[in-house]
């Protein structure tokens, strides 16, 4: 489960969840890309891409295996990562990087995994 509070995305390492992107123009079809980086701007995992299919909203799903790569150092209560979204019209060279505010980093606070949830 993810929470979005005061401009900060909060997740627990190894949990799955969804990010909803609203406000797309349904007259166009878009590729919507999502990526996470660490404090050195090193990408964590691969970019995730979804297609809008002429809808005004898309859902980006982060799997448990993807968020498991967001490591919280031993002894730390939280790790900080950053996210970004890029929207590109299908078949057109234009693109927009979508962020709430270009002057701020889009923060993800990752909390340590507590329960694995594996069934034997």
């Amino acid at each position: 489960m993810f929470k979005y509070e005061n401009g900060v995305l909060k997740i627990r390492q190894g949990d799955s969840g969804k990010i909803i992107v609203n406000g797309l123009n349904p007259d166009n079809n878009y590729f919507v890309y999502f990526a996470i980086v660490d404090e050195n701007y090193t990408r964590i995992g691969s970019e995730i891409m979804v297609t809008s299919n002429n809808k005004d909203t898309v859902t980006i799903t982060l799997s448990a295996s993807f968020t498991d790569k967001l490591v919280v150092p031993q002894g730390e209560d939280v790790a900080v990562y950053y996210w970004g979204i890029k929207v590109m019209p299908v078949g057109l060279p234009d693109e927009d990087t979508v962020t709430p505010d270009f002057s701020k980093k889009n923060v993800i606070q990752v909390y340590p995994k507590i329960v694995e949830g594996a069934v034997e």
Side-chain angles (χ1 to χ4, degrees):
M1 174 193 270
F2 300 169
K3 291 183 179 181
Y4 192 72
E5 297 177 353
N6 300 320
V8 175
L9 182 61
K10 297 180 179 188
I11 65 174
R12 188 165 297 278
Q13 180 185 4
D15 281 1
S16 60
K18 299 177 187 289
I19 297 169
I20 309 297
V21 179
N22 297 309
L24 301 173
N25 181 348
D27 293 334
N28 297 316
N29 192 21
Y30 297 97
F31 293 125
V32 180
Y33 296 89
F34 175 85
I36 296 175
V37 297
D38 64 16
E39 69 276 359
N40 299 314
Y41 291 95
T42 301
R43 185 171 299 129
I44 306 300
S46 299
E47 287 186 358
I48 297 171
M49 189 274 292
V50 295
T51 306
S52 70
N53 295 317
N54 295 91
K55 302 221 182 324
D56 63 352
T57 300
V58 296
T59 301
I60 298 168
T61 302
L62 301 183
S63 67
S65 62
F66 183 87
T67 68
D68 207 34
K69 297 173 186 172
L70 303 172
V71 177
V72 180
Q74 187 73 21
E76 296 289 325
D77 293 331
V78 66
V80 176
Y81 291 87
Y82 306 98
W83 62 271
I85 293 176
K86 183 167 282 214
V87 177
M88 298 177 65
V90 174
L92 298 174
D94 297 336
E95 61 184 60
D96 294 311
T97 298
V98 180
T99 58
D101 184 341
F102 277 114
S103 65
K104 296 180 182 177
K105 292 181 179 179
N106 301 305
V107 174
I108 297 178
Q109 291 179 341
V110 180
Y111 294 86
K113 182 187 302 188
I114 295 174
V115 177
E116 186 66 49
V119 178
E120 294 183 26

